[in-house]
Amino acid sequence: MSDTFDITDMSGLDLMQAVLNGDIPGAPIARTLGFAPYLVEEGKVIFRGTPTEAATNPHGGVHGGWYGTLLDSCMACAVWTKVPAGSTYTTLEYKVNIIRPIKLGTQIEAIGITDHAGRSTGIAHGEIRGVDDGKLYATGSTTCIIMKMK
């Protein structure tokens, strides 16, 4: 990304669509953890990813942080799609409920949906589901702060 690019010049929806289309790079953490945007709509963002051995804990299971990062990303980005140009956002808190283990190599969708986006706060919920099996692997919720920058 250029040093002169200011993310507050565009709305969050426009920025997320630019990431989806490959016009601007997404978050480096997404590349590191193996997930990418799959769908971007106002109030809804879906990421798809597949955990690899690099995402495992010492017991060989998918680390809870992988679930958390995917849910934080999809939920917060869903809020971001409601943020106008001239403002930004960040996660204040999020909660994750892991329901069942994800087997390595299972492609999942992390779905974030905005429940509220006001002048200063955004609230969203999310879930991780298997693309092929449709199983629910985890749920989450988040509160984000929305800040006027310009």
Side-chain angles (χ1 to χ4, degrees):
M1 199 179 306
S2 161
D3 289 337
T4 61
F5 182 76
D6 182 351
I7 65 167
T8 61
D9 288 341
M10 296 170 65
S11 71
L13 178 60
D14 290 340
L15 279 160
M16 280 303 305
Q17 288 174 334
V19 170
L20 176 67
N21 295 332
D23 298 331
I24 61 174
I29 190 72
R31 289 188 300 280
T32 300
L33 295 182
F35 66 93
Y38 177 76
L39 178 135
V40 173
E41 298 174 350
E42 184 175 353
K44 182 177 183 179
V45 170
I46 298 176
F47 287 103
R48 280 195 172 177
T50 305
T52 64
E53 186 178 5
T56 61
N57 59 32
H59 305 286
V62 175
H63 193 282
W66 196 82
Y67 293 79
T69 301
L70 269 282
L71 282 166
D72 179 38
S73 297
C74 73
M75 296 182 302
C77 285
V79 169
W80 198 17
T81 66
K82 305 286 270 178
V83 173
S87 295
T88 191
Y89 80 103
T90 194
T91 301
L92 286 174
E93 68 172 1
Y94 71 98
K95 181 181 185 326
V96 174
N97 292 309
I98 297 172
I99 296 166
R100 64 174 44 93
I102 300 171
K103 292 180 183 173
L104 292 182
T106 302
Q107 186 180 36
I108 59 86
E109 287 187 334
I111 305 154
I113 298 174
T114 305
D115 297 314
H116 166 79
R119 189 174 37 83
S120 60
T121 59
I123 298 169
H125 68 277
E127 59 185 35
I128 294 176
R129 289 196 173 268
V131 170
D132 293 329
D133 63 16
K135 288 182 180 177
L136 182 63
Y137 288 92
T139 62
S141 60
T142 191
T143 302
C144 297
I145 185 170
I146 298 171
M147 302 164 283
K148 192 156 188 69
M149 303 299 287
K150 292 183 175 183

